[in-house]
Amino acid sequence: LLPGSTMRTSVDSPRNMQLVRSRLLKGTSLRSTIIGVIPNTSDPTSDCDDLPNLHRIGTAALAVQVVGSNWPKPHYTLLVTGLCRFQILQLLKEKPYPVAEVQQLDRLEQFTNGHKSEEELGELSEQFYKYAVQLVEMLDMSVPAVAKLRRLLDNLPREALPDILTSIIRTTNQEKLQILDAVRLEERFKMTIPLLVRQIEGLKLLQKTRKSKQDDDKRVVAIRPNRRITHGSITEDEEEEEDHDDVVMLEKKIRTSSMSEQALKVCLKEIKRLKKMPQSMPEYALTRNYLELMVELPWNKSTKDRLEIRAARIVLDNDHYAMEKLKKRVLEYLAVRQLKNNLKGPILCFVGPPGVGKTSVGRSIAKTLGREFHRIALGGVCDQSDIRGHRRTYVGSMPGRIINGLKTVGVNNPVFLLDEVDKLAKSLQGDPAAALLEVLDPEQNHSFTDHYLNVAFDLSQVLFIATANTTATIPPALLDRMEVIQVPGYTQEEKIEIAHRHLIPKQLELHGLTPQQIQIPQVTTLGIITRYTREAGVRALDRKLGAICRAVAVKVAEGQHKEAKPDRAEVGEGEDCKEHITEDAKAESISDTADLPLPPEMPILIDFHALKDILGPPMYDMEVSERLSQPGVAIGLAWTPLGGEIMFVEASRMDGDGQLTLTGQLGDVMKESAHLAISWLRSNAKRYQLTNASGSFDLLDNTDIHLHFPAGAVTKDGPSAGVTIVTCLASLFSGRLVCSDVAMTGEITLRGLVLPVGGIKDKVLAAHRAGLKRIIIPQRNEKDLEEIAAHVRQDLTFVLAACLDEVLNAAFDGGFAVKASLEHFNSKL
């Protein structure tokens, strides 16, 4: 710090911070704001707490501002202005902060006597003043700080100028320390003049470099017009220059494009703004990207549909087995398109469990129609801007997925697959399901407005296909705009056909095998379906077939490696190998080929022994009859988004105070069904002669009942378990076993009626997969049996029940009627 200059310094040492607190913050007089600033000449890396050797000369400073902070560590920031030099005579104390006796070296009164400078210093002062003025005039005088400095040179005394200019120009700390130590004015002027000369030379060199660069730029600008004239006529050169001008080319594309009148008006307005805008502006790139997108969009470009119904039926049958509802709907659309060309695209929604082919059938529909296909995954999307895009005022804005998809396919009538529409999320960024309302409404999507485009785009020719596992999570307003087509799970026979038509050939191709190397009979496929998978779709079946192909590929690769050994061996050894081949060729399964020195016979037949070796023990056993070996167990049917499932209900009773315990992660609706069941049985206990352990018709008298629904880790809810709970409790209190081949579903009422439920087809297929033979369903669900395949209906016996009496009679061998002989035991004599 030099006299006359101002600087900002940070104070973080304990002694200095104590000085600030005690003198600057607590002091009230002007004198308390004056402190001594001494250069720190000690090693900055030293952590010693001792006071370092103080520099001989310092500067008395006026503290103008004090600011405290605790980050990154406690410290004060001081704004100080130098007043004059002083010399330390004696250090009085070091703690809590240094205090010393000093002698003032510069007299403040000297600054007011400007006429003495010329007399005492003469030429040295004039030389310094000349260099100072030259330096300031080389700067930009339009800057207020430079103009103020120029006025200070004329107004301030000459002896104050060396300290002020030294603090302004570029100097090292060592040079500033030398100026501080120069007490005599003559010495101070002599040391400052070389610093000014050095700064002037640096500015001259910098201005010379900038001037040469500007001359080069002017030379390039001057050359360009001349080059255009030397190549030929001016008119031809102008056309050639326009072809290379991107903005002009973009304007040509806009004018020749087939966009709507509104879009064309907006684009021409933007192109005018673009021409007047310098390329260095950030908005230039944004506007240009917007115009390029508008040109690339397919406003009127479309593909021609293939409307041959016979060819379409062949393509659909070759790509997918079963799925009659979907195929029928696509063929209906083709037939209507033949009769009316401007038919709007339908909004379809395929709802079904995973792995049944909802996504792949969408690609097959696009192939059938001869259209482009684009898939948009909506699972987990929680921002409405993914659908509608961002407004162009935002940084990093971009169009939504709908407009991006149209740009990708390049036509305005593609097949858009909105995958997993039931898994949309809602967040602070909006509800994407609400944004889809405009997209999936045939009465509105002819003028869909993306926030990025800000002009209407026609989506009426797009064929939208949505997929979902369940409609429960789809908002009602969105569900109302779509034509829902249920895609149920596959039966065992359908899975076998799908495996041999599609899955096995695909896995053989993926693993480099041929039908001459591996054979998988239908019996083996049925074993994989029943024992190693339990699903509505075919994904797990596909993975199991892939595991089999990998195991066979290992055997084939080992065999090819070992076939090369007899060629390199001697003839005698080759004859011995032939004997081994003859003996070991009798193996029938893959497990027997593990120890063969040479490859097994081809093709390798996959039987049940090979399945156990490759896939391990069966994952699912037919345990239905074993679990129904005691009273208090019944089988229900449940629907899940993954397809139908069979569900066991277990009950037990013990001495207690009449409590009903429910376990198995049950929802509120299922808990209410359990209370309904126990209430109905208590009210009809005398009719069916149901008693507790003490012989009382009050089933909860001194008796606790525990109902459990395995598996305990799976959440369950819904009303369809009502009849199963009643049957389970009736079996418990009567001591009779429920038939082991019976499953049931249905909602109950307090009067004993059986109400209809949903998901009948998936539940029936689950019972069929589990090997059950009789199914009890509500009478009003009889209409749902028409959707079930004929061969499945032939294997099962359906009992249509309107009340619980019919359910109990069908669930137990010999019925569940009241025995007349039991009336005598109920006599009141």
Side-chain angles (χ1 to χ4, degrees), residues 761-782:
K761 183 174 182 180
D762 290 327
K763 293 176 180 179
V764 169
L765 293 179
H768 188 255
R769 287 196 299 266
L772 301 174
K773 298 301 181 185
R774 267 195 303 167
I775 300 177
I776 303 173
I777 63 173
Q779 188 174 18
R780 289 163 62 181
N781 282 117
E782 184 179 5

Side-chain angles (χ1 to χ4, degrees), residues 133 135-153 168:
V133 172
L135 174 63
V136 174
E137 289 180 349
M138 292 179 68
L139 303 176
D140 187 2
M141 296 299 294
S142 62
V143 179
V146 177
K148 183 178 180 181
L149 179 61
R150 180 66 183 84
R151 292 193 299 270
L152 289 177
L153 292 180
I168 294 176

Side-chain angles (χ1 to χ4, degrees), residues 97 129 155 176 265 281 315 355-356 420 449 576 581 737:
Y97 53 86
Y129 178 76
N155 297 331
K176 289 181 179 179
K265 184 178 179 181
M281 285 186 63
V315 171
V356 296
E420 309 293 354
T449 303
D576 295 336
I581 295 172
L737 296 177

